[in-house]
Amino acid sequence: MKKVLYTKYNSFRKKEYQIKTALYEENEKKYVSKKALNNETVSHIERIYSNSEVLRKLYNSVEILPCKLDGDELIFDFVQGKTLLDEISYDFKDIDELVSVINEKLGIVFDIDDRYICKFELSEKFSDVFPECIPDAVDAYSVSNLDSNLDNFIINDKKIYCIDYEWVADFDIPIDYLKYRVLLYFYISRRPYLEKVIGLNDFIERFGISEDSQALYFRMEHCFQLYVTKSNNDLLFPVSFYKKSTSLKEMIGALEENEVLRNRNKQIESELKRQRVLIDSQNERIEEIRRSVKNPVYGIRRLVRNRMNKK
């Protein structure tokens, strides 16, 4: 008897990409299924099935988790293990150590057969998914797994399995865009820890992706989400999300500048207080003189009082 343990519906997507993902147990064995939510999604399910054969030729170091197509449903064996994302510790000595560890994981994910490496050429398929995004003639893959995030790769029995290959492109995609996606989603997953140390832009720049390239790749990511989702309201990262983050050095500089301004303000406030005391004293003297002029008796008494105070 089948026992459903977990279910997720991708109803925020366009109709042709809406699927139900379920984890279930049957005969004491666990499985994952991806099922079409409507007739329009059936072709997408069939495409995922064919993607497994495409990617099997692509990777050098990664196994493709096999699946079985049963009508409008894909059935996968459930693989227990750590993902490449899980293997990256929160406890790193410095940012250089973290960058080194992530580069090691990227080396696994992007260990691609050389025959798929080329110089980027714009295509109609690319423009359909990424309108108004025109990369330079950078290094690209002619076939690629767009969703190469580290949590889609599981280590089991000393093998590394790609467990999700829903989005495979059979047209040129810049290699750095694929890496950018991995780094962007990694940073977001570790944001509470990383943003105390380094800003998003500076973090990604550590991997050789310039600020200008990041701006282009974020536009591409925005376009990809629009390609999949029903509306702007369903976007994971709207355009307003992208803004240049502040580096630690810049933050320290700003804090130091603020400290200088605070000290200067304290000095000004102290001087203003001193001036107010002088002004109050002068006002008192002026008032006494004014009263002395109006009342000579008051002036004589004031003169006597002052002499007695001096004694």
Side-chain angles (χ1 to χ4, degrees):
M1 182 178 176
K2 183 187 292 187
K3 179 183 178 182
V4 177
L5 305 174
Y6 169 82
T7 305
K8 182 178 77 171
Y9 293 86
N10 287 328
S11 55
F12 63 89
R13 294 179 176 181
K14 291 176 181 174
K15 201 168 184 181
E16 60 267 36
Y17 302 125
Q18 292 179 356
I19 60 177
K20 179 183 79 171
T21 301
L23 170 64
Y24 66 90
E25 189 174 69
E26 191 173 35
N27 299 324
E28 299 184 351
K29 190 174 180 180
K30 291 178 181 177
Y31 301 89
V32 174
S33 77
K34 291 182 181 288
K35 182 178 175 63
L37 284 179
N38 54 69
N39 291 333
E40 293 179 48
T41 316
V42 174
S43 60
H44 184 58
I45 290 291
E46 293 171 346
R47 189 161 50 249
I48 297 173
Y49 179 72
S50 63
N51 286 344
S52 64
E53 289 302 315
V54 172
L55 292 186
R56 195 163 277 113
K57 303 171 186 176
L58 186 77
Y59 291 114
N60 291 323
S61 308
V62 173
E63 303 276 342
I64 303 302
L65 184 66
C67 62
K68 180 178 70 174
L69 181 61
D70 183 11
D72 63 350
E73 185 176 19
L74 291 170
I75 310 295
F76 303 79
D77 286 343
F78 176 74
V79 178
Q80 190 78 36
K82 271 189 173 185
T83 69
L84 291 182
L85 179 63
D86 294 332
E87 280 214 319
I88 301 176
S89 172
Y90 292 93
D91 184 24
F92 49 88
K93 293 177 184 177
D94 54 45
I95 197 67
D96 290 333
E97 180 187 5
L98 179 63
V99 168
S100 177
V101 172
I102 295 173
N103 269 324
E104 179 187 327
K105 307 305 179 189
L106 293 177
I108 296 170
V109 171
F110 294 107
D111 184 13
I112 305 297
D113 193 290
D114 288 347
R115 61 184 157 160
Y116 295 101
I117 300 174
C118 60
K119 287 296 178 183
F120 175 81
E121 289 187 12
L122 191 64
S123 65
E124 187 175 339
K125 285 184 177 180
F126 181 92
S127 297
D128 285 344
V129 181
F130 306 104
E132 299 181 10
C133 296
I134 306 177
D136 295 327
V138 294
D139 289 339
Y141 292 135
S142 57
V143 175
S144 59
N145 181 0
L146 282 168
D147 201 1
S148 295
N149 292 340
L150 299 180
D151 56 351
N152 285 333
F153 295 84
I154 283 185
I155 304 167
N156 176 273
D157 194 23
K158 297 182 180 180
K159 291 182 179 180
I160 300 172
Y161 291 92
C162 175
I163 62 171
D164 194 338
Y165 35 85
E166 185 175 356
W167 305 104
V168 171
D170 60 352
F171 51 89
D172 290 3
I173 297 286
I175 295 173
D176 276 354
Y177 166 64
L178 298 169
K179 291 182 179 179
Y180 171 83
R181 288 193 89 245
V182 176
L183 296 168
L184 173 65
Y185 285 89
F186 173 81
Y187 188 95
I188 296 304
S189 72
R190 298 288 194 268
R191 190 163 198 160
Y193 303 89
L194 287 174
E195 66 182 357
K196 298 173 185 176
V197 181
I198 191 169
L200 172 62
N201 303 87
D202 291 336
F203 172 73
I204 294 178
E205 203 162 359
R206 290 292 189 105
F207 297 86
I209 302 175
S210 69
E211 192 174 314
D212 288 343
S213 295
Q214 289 181 52
L216 169 64
Y217 296 150
F218 186 85
R219 289 202 305 274
M220 286 177 61
E221 179 60 18
H222 182 255
C223 289
F224 178 61
Q225 290 187 41
L226 283 175
Y227 182 78
V228 174
T229 56
K230 290 189 294 188
S231 71
N232 281 314
N233 295 330
D234 298 311
L235 295 179
L236 183 59
F237 303 129
V239 171
S240 59
F241 173 89
Y242 186 79
K243 59 182 180 180
K244 188 181 185 303
S245 55
T246 306
S247 69
L248 181 61
K249 183 178 179 181
E250 290 171 327
M251 285 191 288
I252 290 172
L255 288 171
E256 289 175 346
E257 185 177 348
N258 286 340
E259 186 63 27
V260 170
L261 290 173
R262 277 195 294 270
N263 290 335
R264 189 177 299 168
N265 285 337
K266 285 180 182 178
Q267 292 173 357
I268 292 172
E269 288 176 4
S270 178
E271 179 62 22
L272 286 174
K273 188 181 290 185
R274 191 179 72 83
Q275 291 293 336
R276 279 195 293 269
V277 170
L278 289 174
I279 291 170
D280 289 343
S281 176
Q282 290 295 330
N283 285 338
E284 286 180 5
R285 290 177 63 188
I286 291 170
E287 179 61 22
E288 287 184 346
I289 292 170
R290 187 182 65 78
R291 292 178 67 182
S292 297
V293 170
K294 283 188 175 182
N295 187 351
V297 175
Y298 172 81
I300 293 169
R301 287 177 179 172
R302 176 174 170 271
L303 181 61
V304 171
R305 185 174 64 249
N306 287 341
R307 285 179 177 178
M308 291 180 68
N309 289 337
K310 287 180 180 179
K311 292 179 181 180

